[in-house]
Amino acid sequence: MTFKRTNPLALAVLALLSERPMHPYEMAQTMRERHQEEVIKLNYGSLYTVVESLRGHELITASAVQKAGNRPERTVYAVTAAGTAELHDWLRDLIAVPAKEYPRFEAGISLVGLLPPADALELVQQREAAVGEQLAALAVLLEKLAGMGLPQLAWIELDYRMAVLRAERAWLAWFATATREGTVGGYDDWEDRHR
Amino acid sequence: MTFKRTNPLALAVLALLSERPMHPYEMAQTMRERHQEEVIKLNYGSLYTVVESLRGHELITASAVQKAGNRPERTVYAVTAAGTAELHDWLRDLIAVPAKEYPRFEAGISLVGLLPPADALELVQQREAAVGEQLAALAVLLEKLAGMGLPQLAWIELDYRMAVLRAERAWLAWFATATREGTVGGYDDWEDRHR
DNA sequence: CAGCCTATACTCGGCACCGGATATACGGGA
DNA sequence: TCCCGTATATCCGGTGCCGAGTATAGGCTG
């Protein structure tokens, strides 16, 4: 059976091990330090599952079992040639091919007609504010990272996220206005249904 | 135990049943017809799991068991008062509070430094083209829906998605240019690592 | 040096989810 | 009337994922 590219955490593991051998807990620490868990969901339970799966497919191997002091044993893993190939190929796919995803907001906004227009307006404005705060937080983070001397390429994904968030905020602002002024298509019917 | 809002398919079920009672298969059909499965992932296996879970939490009830002709029995469900409350509350949350999500492209682009710049450029351009095609397809779909006399509110989520996709396309175009011209921060180092 | 908190390192049971299997009914062509 | 493809309707076994639990070591405080 060929390896299934479900959990992106496996991608992170391959990427980390392509730097140097590590044991799972160290991978988690490194991901934290580098703010990688912002982009790839990290969960201890999943980490060990994923590592074991990668080992099963011989994309990584247990290269050593250390025993420092009286701590629990820790297994250090290293990436194999097949693992490196998988990493690169997966990466290419992730970048070149847009995957079908299901953002939760799309699900929510598609049913917004079920709520009264006045409520909808308030909720959308709340989201607009929240997105604004996220943007501000990202700006601060970028400042910090740049101040540490990290090049733009090291936080390129944050750059991307900011671009998307700005678009979302703009759309929310438009929708709020259109709702407030009743210019969104189908508004009259919408209001009628809620009185 | 309170109901866990994991699978958005449960939201779709509540929304459909708030129109009129249905049996699971009919829900699936209706979702298809309305292009709802574009926004909410539909899977027959999950559908029955989710319906059973909703029933267990008494958010819906089995209102009848039909037996038309000699077909398999079909259980028709109806939403309860608690179910309607849950639907509205969940909806409010989805709209007002941005959820932490992990788009796969972010994971990919965050590791783009592992690929040679020339390859990265090509991949990003491929994605840009693909996103362009998605936008074109959405425009066609919008045209069709509007032609059928549906108001904007009925396909508001597509409007949102187009806004986000346009932002993504613009960002990809920027990144492609910055890579081609070597103006992305850290480019020299990037190129050095790949020779 | 007792006591407590945090960091280290992993384990495990449960469950939601998914893909594919199952089984019957219906309609249309040869 | 036989056959086959499609529509109807549901079920189920496997698996990946997650959160919470476990256990020891080291460090800090009074």
Side-chain angles (χ1 to χ4, degrees), chain A residues 6-7 41 43 45-46 70-71:
Chain A
T6 47
N7 198 339
K41 188 151 163 196
N43 180 306
S46 310
N70 218 347
R71 298 269 187 75

Side-chain angles (χ1 to χ4, degrees), chain B residues 86-118:
Chain B
E86 177 69 15
L87 168 62
H88 289 153
D89 201 61
W90 191 356
L91 216 43
R92 282 165 192 286
D93 187 61
L94 282 177
I95 295 174
V97 184
K100 175 126 198 82
E101 284 175 289
Y102 298 85
R104 324 203 15 167
F105 177 64
E106 276 188 28
I109 202 69
S110 76
L111 296 171
V112 71
L114 294 177
L115 300 174

Side-chain angles (χ1 to χ4, degrees), chain B residues 171-192:
Chain B
W171 188 88
L172 290 168
W174 165 78
F175 184 74
T177 308
T179 302
R180 201 178 324 103
E181 299 179 352
T183 57
V184 61
Y187 181 83
D188 295 343
D189 202 40
W190 186 13
E191 232 200 352
D192 282 355

Side-chain angles (χ1 to χ4, degrees), chain B residues 6-7 41 43 45-46 49 70-71:
Chain B
T6 47
N7 198 340
K41 189 152 164 193
N43 180 305
S46 311
T49 312
N70 219 346
R71 297 268 186 74

Side-chain angles (χ1 to χ4, degrees), chain A residues 72-114:
Chain A
E73 291 184 346
R74 19 179 232 189
T75 310
V76 175
Y77 295 88
V79 70
T80 65
T84 307
E86 178 67 16
L87 168 62
H88 289 153
D89 202 59
W90 191 355
L91 216 42
R92 281 167 193 284
D93 187 60
L94 282 177
I95 295 175
V97 185
K100 174 127 201 79
E101 283 174 290
Y102 298 85
R104 321 198 22 172
F105 177 66
E106 276 188 27
I109 202 68
S110 76
L111 297 172
V112 72
L114 295 178

Side-chain angles (χ1 to χ4, degrees), chain B residues 33-53:
Chain B
E33 275 170 30
R34 300 189 188 168
H35 299 270
Q36 248 191 311
E37 49 158 1
E38 283 276 321
V39 232
I40 293 177
K41 189 152 164 193
L42 169 60
N43 180 305
Y44 279 81
S46 311
L47 180 58
Y48 288 85
T49 312
V50 150
V51 164
E52 182 49 30
S53 162

